[in-house]
């Protein structure tokens, strides 16, 4: 009796670590601050939080439920319930390839900065911004780092996800958390930090546009690993005694908590140093080393630790993305794990190197008006994930039996899910409509019209051929 209890508790922690490991990543620490910075700050953050805590959490509960119900990863899960919906799973696999077409580039930057912390990066604070620009636009160095980062993914996923990565996560995720708190304290106590806090917490809704809404929605999905079957795949490995809604709540709170902490760590320092909030994708790589540059040797160690933790956070996320593709190849195509990992990882390496080169030598080459890095980033973040989340909500609300959902979310009636009716109504009516409205407003105000049309066309074609997939 006692033994049984202990076991189920252990697996609960393991699952939360894996799901939180997937959610907490570059999206929180690299992407969130610069998205907030380029979208006006506080108002964006409040909208993002609302989306994460209402829409995000509901979709996560849905993904867990479908994954565990069917015991299958994304494509198989949809297919097992309704063949017309196979395409929604396939869209997820495509999204995984696209996200892994740029995510390893940034993961490589983070890894490189571990080493750079020791090799003089911090010795000249005024040059840190230029050094970052020079680094990412060069051809060879960032490509090597992204290959190293991807190789780590391949090794881990080839061995299966448990073991190493979970252990590393258990030590390094708390380290990351501790360091962020430390940086946040340092940051808010810098002279001139007040402007940053105002930027973070004093909303100005007059600047909010359709673009802002879409960016906030995309960020919520991206940060929570939603809208492409990732949490569905993780749910498929779950045992039947886990409480799905409370797990979703914990993962969501951890994830948004880390994002906010990253904001508090970055923005006060940024205002103190007089850096532009809208500086863009280099934000973390420019501001964090600058904070540590003033602390001597201790600063070097802290900086290295921060980038180690960031690399690991990125790794526990990218592993989950690779796993979505691998699980598909294994479940649906009958491939072996190793073959699946090498094939998928190889394609991702090619895509990522192209993305990396698009920062420099290939910057003149554009697809539908944007460089390759932005092509993958915008297409997934602004279109595929949000539409993927909407499709899941429609699927759950209209194509899955209500009793089955209630059965799954209450573990066959053995636990309570008091908000079931509210959740169901959200999935059935509110989320499809809300995402539709935000998507339309975003599409109408987006600069990359060609890209938007392309993304929607891809989804439409997939839907048309769903039964053949
Ligand atoms: N959520 C991760 C991050 O914030 C990235 C990620 C992992 C992801 N799996 C995903 C994003 C699935 C979208 C979908 O860094």
């Amino acid at each position: 009796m006692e033994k049984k209890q202990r076991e189920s508790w252990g697996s609960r922690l393991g699952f939360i670590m894996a799901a939180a490991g997937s959610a907490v990543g570059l999206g929180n620490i690299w992407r969130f601050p610069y998205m907030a910075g380029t979208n006006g700050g506080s108002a964006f953050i409040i909208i993002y939080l609302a989306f994460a805590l209402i829409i995000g959490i509901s979709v996560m509960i849905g993904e867990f439920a479908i994954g565990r119900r069917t015991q299958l990863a994304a494509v198989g899960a949809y297919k097992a319930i309704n063949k017309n919906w196979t395409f929604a799973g396939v869209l997820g696999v495509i999204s995984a390839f696209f996200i892994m077409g740029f995510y390893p580039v940034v993961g490589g930057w983070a890894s490189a900065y571990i080493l750079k912390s020791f090799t003089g990066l911090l010795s000249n604070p005024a040059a840190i911004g230029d050094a970052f620009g020079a680094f990412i636009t060069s051809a060879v160095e960032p490509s090597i780092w992204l290959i190293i980062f991807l190789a780590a993914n391949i090794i881990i996923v080839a061995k299966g996800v448990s073991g190493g990565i979970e252990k590393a996560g258990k030590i390094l995720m708390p380290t990351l958390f501790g360091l962020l708190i430390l940086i946040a304290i340092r940051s808010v106590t810098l002279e001139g930090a007040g402007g940053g806090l105002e930027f973070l917490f004093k909303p100005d809704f007059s600047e909010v546009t359709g673009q802002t809404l879409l960016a906030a929605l995309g960020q919520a999905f991206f940060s929570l690993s939603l809208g492409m079957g990732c949490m569905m795949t993780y749910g498929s490995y779950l045992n039947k005694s886990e409480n799905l809604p409370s797990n979703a709540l914990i993962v969501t709170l951890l994830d948004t908590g880390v994002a906010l902490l990253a904001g508090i760590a970055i923005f006060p320092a940024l205002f103190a140093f007089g850096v532009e909030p809208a500086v863009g994708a280099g934000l973390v790589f420019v501001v964090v080393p600058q904070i540590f540059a003033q602390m001597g040797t201790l600063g070097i160690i802290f900086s290295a630790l921060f980038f180690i933790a960031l690399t690991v956070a990125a790794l526990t996320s990218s592993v989950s993305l690779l796993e979505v593709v691998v699980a598909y190849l294994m479940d649906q195509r009958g491939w072996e794990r190793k073959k699946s990992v090498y094939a998928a990882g190889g394609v991702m390496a090619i895509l990522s190197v192209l993305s990396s080169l698009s920062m420099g030598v290939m910057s003149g080459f554009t697809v539908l008006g944007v460089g390759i890095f932005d092509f993958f980033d915008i297409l997934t973040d602004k279109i595929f994930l949000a539409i993927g989340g909407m499709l899941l909500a429609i699927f759950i609300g209209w194509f899955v039996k209500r009793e089955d959902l209630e059965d799954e979310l209450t573990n066959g009636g053995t636990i309570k899910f008091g908000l079931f009716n509210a959740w169901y109504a959200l999935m059935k009516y509110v989320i499809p409509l809300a995402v539709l409205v935000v998507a339309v407003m975003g599409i109408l105000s987006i600069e990359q019209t060609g890209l938007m049309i392309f993304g929607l066309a891809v989804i439409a074609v997939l839907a048309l051929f769903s039964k053949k997939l």
Side-chain angles (χ1 to χ4, degrees):
M1 188 65 200
E2 203 185 318
K3 189 167 175 252
K4 200 177 167 199
Q5 247 173 8
R6 210 166 39 239
E7 262 175 20
S8 68
W9 218 81
S11 75
R12 171 163 205 213
L13 190 69
F15 169 68
I16 288 184
M17 291 305 292
S22 169
V24 176
L26 296 171
N28 308 62
I29 298 158
W30 161 70
R31 198 169 209 286
F32 172 75
Y34 97 75
M35 290 300 282
T38 50
N39 284 288
S42 187
F44 170 87
I45 295 174
I46 290 168
I47 297 166
Y48 153 80
L49 283 176
F51 283 156
L53 295 175
I54 301 169
I55 298 181
I57 221 173
S58 305
V59 170
M60 193 183 293
I61 292 171
E63 288 206 19
F64 284 164
I66 297 295
R68 191 175 69 173
R69 186 86 188 166
T70 58
Q71 301 281 304
L72 286 166
V75 178
Y78 275 110
K79 199 174 195 167
I81 297 176
N82 188 329
K83 285 211 168 58
N84 288 323
W85 282 83
T86 311
F87 81 98
V90 173
L91 179 65
V93 173
I94 295 174
S95 300
F97 272 115
F98 281 13
I99 297 174
M100 286 300 274
F102 72 90
Y103 205 90
V105 176
V106 185
W109 297 347
S111 332
Y113 267 58
I114 301 171
L115 191 70
K116 285 181 188 292
S117 300
F118 294 106
T119 55
L121 173 72
L122 308 188
S123 59
N124 185 359
I128 287 172
D130 291 341
F132 177 74
F135 167 58
I136 66 163
T137 51
S138 65
V140 180
E141 205 190 338
S143 299
I144 293 174
W145 283 105
L146 83 83
I147 300 280
I148 295 173
F149 180 82
L150 253 176
N153 278 275
I154 289 172
I155 293 168
I156 292 161
V157 179
K159 284 189 177 151
V161 186
S162 57
I165 191 71
E166 250 183 58
K167 269 184 210 138
K170 272 183 195 156
I171 301 165
L172 281 152
M173 296 299 266
T175 308
L176 176 71
F177 209 68
L179 277 169
L180 276 177
I181 291 176
L182 199 101
I183 302 173
I185 293 171
R186 180 70 200 116
S187 184
V188 295
T189 51
L190 285 166
E191 204 173 316
L197 292 173
E198 209 163 280
F199 185 77
L200 276 174
F201 297 115
K202 218 171 132 202
D204 174 6
F205 286 100
S206 67
E207 301 279 301
V208 171
T209 63
Q211 276 287 342
T212 320
L213 293 177
L214 186 61
L217 185 70
Q219 176 62 24
F221 277 107
F222 186 89
S223 185
L224 292 168
S225 300
L226 297 174
M228 45 83 71
C230 187
M231 290 302 183
M232 210 182 277
T233 304
Y234 272 31
S236 74
Y237 302 137
L238 250 182
N239 76 47
K240 293 282 181 191
S241 65
E242 304 299 331
N243 183 331
L244 300 181
S246 73
N247 276 316
L249 178 68
I250 293 171
V251 172
T252 305
L253 291 180
L254 274 174
D255 189 69
T256 46
V258 172
L260 284 181
L261 202 53
I264 297 172
I266 305 258
F267 284 106
L270 176 140
F271 275 75
F273 297 143
V275 181
E276 262 295 300
V279 45
L283 188 54
V284 172
F285 294 93
V286 176
V287 172
V288 171
Q290 245 169 300
I291 297 175
F292 289 130
Q294 312 160 324
M295 296 185 188
T297 318
L298 205 61
I300 292 178
I301 293 168
F302 278 143
S303 171
L305 274 176
F306 173 80
F307 285 111
I308 289 173
L310 182 60
T311 302
V312 172
L315 201 55
T316 55
S317 299
S318 52
V319 158
S320 74
L321 287 158
L322 179 53
E323 180 67 22
V324 168
V325 179
V326 169
Y328 158 73
L329 291 172
M330 291 169 68
D331 281 0
Q332 305 307 124
R333 305 270 157 211
W335 289 21
E336 282 174 42
R337 175 168 280 272
K338 283 218 162 70
K339 180 181 165 192
S340 313
V341 173
Y342 298 146
V347 173
M348 289 164 183
I350 295 169
L351 299 180
S352 294
V353 168
L354 290 174
S355 276
S356 180
L357 294 178
S358 76
M359 298 271 153
V361 289
M362 281 176 67
S363 61
F365 179 79
T366 58
V367 190
L368 300 169
V370 295
I372 300 170
F373 185 107
D374 291 340
F375 176 81
F376 291 140
D377 182 3
I378 297 172
L379 207 53
T380 47
D381 184 67
K382 294 244 161 68
I383 308 176
F384 286 0
L385 297 182
I387 302 275
M390 178 178 88
L391 290 174
L392 177 86
I394 296 173
F395 179 68
I396 282 189
W398 302 89
F399 295 88
V400 182
K401 283 203 204 86
R402 190 189 161 110
E403 308 84 72
D404 289 353
L405 292 164
E406 189 154 18
D407 182 68
E408 195 59 39
L409 290 173
T410 59
N411 296 353
T414 57
I415 55 167
K416 269 209 153 58
F417 177 27
L419 292 173
F420 178 81
N421 289 329
W423 171 79
Y424 190 74
L426 270 172
M427 293 298 269
K428 192 167 181 131
Y429 306 107
V430 181
I431 293 175
L433 216 74
V435 174
L436 193 71
V437 170
V438 172
V440 169
M441 285 173 67
I443 290 169
L444 290 180
S445 68
I446 206 163
E447 305 102 62
Q448 295 93 7
T449 324
L451 198 57
M452 272 298 195
I453 294 171
F454 172 76
L456 295 174
V458 168
I459 298 170
V461 169
L462 287 175
L464 226 54
F465 292 101
S466 191
K467 281 203 172 117
K468 298 218 164 69
L469 293 167

